[in-house]
Amino acid sequence: MPDPGPRRALNIALQGGGSHGAFTWGVLDALLEDGQFEFVGISGTSAGAMNAVALVHGFAQAAKKSKDRQEIHANGCALARETLKALWEGVGALGSLMWGVPLQGNPFMSLMTQWLSPYQTNPLDINPLRALLGRTVDFELLGAEHALVPKVFVCATNVRTGRGEIFTGKRLCMEAVMASACLPMMFQAVEIEGEHYWDGGYSGNPALHPLIYHTQCSDVLLVQINPVQHKALPENASDIIDRMNEVTFNASLLAELRAIEFVRRLLAEGKLDPGRYRDVRVHRIDGGAALADFGASSKMRADLAFLRQLFELGREEGQRWLHAHRHDVGVRCTFKSVDDA
């Protein structure tokens, strides 16, 4: 049983990684079931963005029905769990099908994405996730913003500038989440307000800076699902490409973590004004290590049995983190160093 006492404020940063986002679903389910944290801000990219808006949708629903803080929290946790379940069971119902052909392990589909662009292979820009997201999350409700509802930040990459852009508040819409999950060799760039966007993983996977600059909470729990380290040297073409993608989609995150470490060290040495710089306490659930045995290609697998397997794995890791580090939130940083990751 979770121990009683006042809830501790916590920001959450959710990495993207295709269907491996179901692992994050399990982590969030464990945190929501525990109910002992006050979620302040949630930053997500790609599948992490979908998890983020699903979670916040639950709290926004609760806030719509009640003004009582305790009631909003309790009902929000329950409704968030329901929304996340509906989202991922919907993904499982869709499966990893494109034109009726499984993407996983299909050489014809791999060849098409290698030599043809989505403007040729998918001229109507069909993406069944768009309809599923529209059925599951009320973006108008999210845009209303409420003091007792977690802030949500979604990162997408501007194709023209190459920079990450954060969508939040009234700018947070379904197209922003679709942009955050838009792999450029699979889907056409998503247009928002005259600009075009690709997957946010290229520029912030996930972006930590919105949590630092736009919330008052100093604790960030990072749920990472892309492995940082890779033991074996990749030698065949597909393994090399997979490892290149892992490095690319971790690069911006590692840079932000190094900047946080640098500021923390200068604060500890008394070289920075603590009134101007925040001592950010980072915590991490390393799903990348937990998911390493599944291989990068399994990120395209979306059958419900597999998603449920990842969900259970995520719940176990979430419960393990709660047992080990619940009392560290608000007290100390438990993520030691990027170089030890």
Side-chain angles (χ1 to χ4, degrees):
M1 292 288 293
D3 56 340
R7 291 190 295 271
R8 303 184 182 210
L10 183 65
N11 283 327
I12 308 178
L14 308 176
Q15 196 169 50
S19 64
H20 286 188
F23 171 92
T24 303
W25 165 32
V27 170
L28 296 176
D29 191 77
L31 296 176
L32 291 163
E33 180 183 55
D34 180 77
Q36 296 302 303
F37 292 105
E38 192 84 43
F39 301 122
V40 180
I42 305 178
S43 178
T45 295
S46 196
M50 294 188 180
N51 278 319
V53 295
L55 185 151
V56 176
H57 170 82
F59 283 92
Q61 279 188 312
K64 185 179 179 181
K65 299 174 183 177
S66 174
K67 294 183 180 180
D68 180 76
R69 188 183 193 95
Q70 300 298 328
E71 197 170 278
I72 290 173
H73 179 78
N75 292 339
C77 286
L79 290 168
R81 293 179 74 190
E82 291 178 9
T83 308
L84 284 160
K85 181 179 179 182
L87 174 66
W88 284 100
E89 288 189 345
V91 171
L94 292 172
S96 54
L97 300 182
M98 185 72 73
W99 305 296
V101 182
L103 287 171
Q104 171 82 3
N106 187 283
F108 176 69
M109 293 302 296
S110 298
L111 186 64
M112 287 182 65
T113 57
Q114 182 178 356
W115 296 108
L116 299 174
S117 85
Y119 296 87
Q120 298 167 299
T121 60
N122 187 11
L124 299 179
D125 197 24
I126 297 170
N127 188 337
L129 281 176
R130 184 180 282 111
L132 171 61
L133 197 60
R135 292 194 303 269
T136 308
V137 176
D138 184 341
F139 284 93
E140 186 174 345
L141 190 60
L142 294 191
E145 296 187 284
H146 190 288
L148 299 181
V149 174
K151 295 181 180 180
V152 59
F153 307 95
V154 167
C155 181
T157 304
N158 186 305
V159 180
R160 179 178 61 83
T161 67
R163 297 172 181 164
E165 187 161 340
I166 303 300
F167 292 88
T168 189
K170 296 189 182 303
R171 292 194 72 215
L172 180 61
C173 57
M174 181 171 63
E175 291 307 305
V177 179
M178 297 307 299
S180 184
C182 179
L183 291 171
M185 292 308 295
M186 292 187 64
F187 301 106
Q188 297 180 25
V190 177
E191 183 176 356
I192 303 173
E193 300 169 354
E195 294 281 359
H196 291 85
Y197 297 89
W198 282 339
D199 197 294
Y202 297 110
S203 53
N205 192 23
L208 302 182
H209 61 88
L211 300 174
I212 298 171
Y213 294 114
H214 299 290
T215 79
Q216 297 302 309
C217 177
S218 295
D219 286 84
V220 177
L221 172 59
L222 168 65
V223 184
Q224 193 170 0
I225 56 178
N226 282 320
V228 175
Q229 296 189 17
H230 196 85
K231 295 180 181 178
L233 176 67
E235 296 182 340
N236 64 53
S238 62
D239 288 345
I240 290 171
I241 292 172
D242 287 342
R243 185 55 183 156
M244 287 170 58
N245 288 334
E246 287 172 353
V247 171
T248 299
F249 281 98
N250 276 327
S252 57
L253 172 64
L254 295 179
E256 283 200 275
L257 288 172
R258 284 195 174 92
I260 290 171
E261 285 181 19
F262 182 61
V263 170
R264 294 192 78 247
R265 186 167 65 251
L266 292 180
L267 283 168
E269 294 171 355
K271 296 178 179 178
L272 288 179
D273 178 3
R276 296 185 59 193
Y277 295 90
R278 184 180 299 179
D279 187 2
V280 178
R281 297 178 290 268
V282 179
H283 315 274
R284 180 176 71 151
I285 294 176
D286 187 7
L291 296 166
D293 290 342
F294 290 102
S297 62
S298 66
K299 291 179 181 179
M300 298 297 295
R301 181 180 170 186
D303 58 278
L304 190 54
F306 180 63
L307 298 180
R308 285 176 173 161
Q309 181 183 1
L310 298 184
F311 166 78
E312 292 298 338
L313 183 60
R315 268 187 62 86
E316 291 173 7
E317 291 296 322
Q319 290 167 345
R320 186 175 292 114
W321 180 84
L322 284 166
H323 178 75
H325 297 299
R326 178 199 312 278
H327 296 292
D328 292 319
V329 174
V331 178
R332 67 185 185 93
C333 175
T334 58
F335 178 64
K336 294 181 179 179
S337 171
V338 172
D339 295 321
D340 295 332

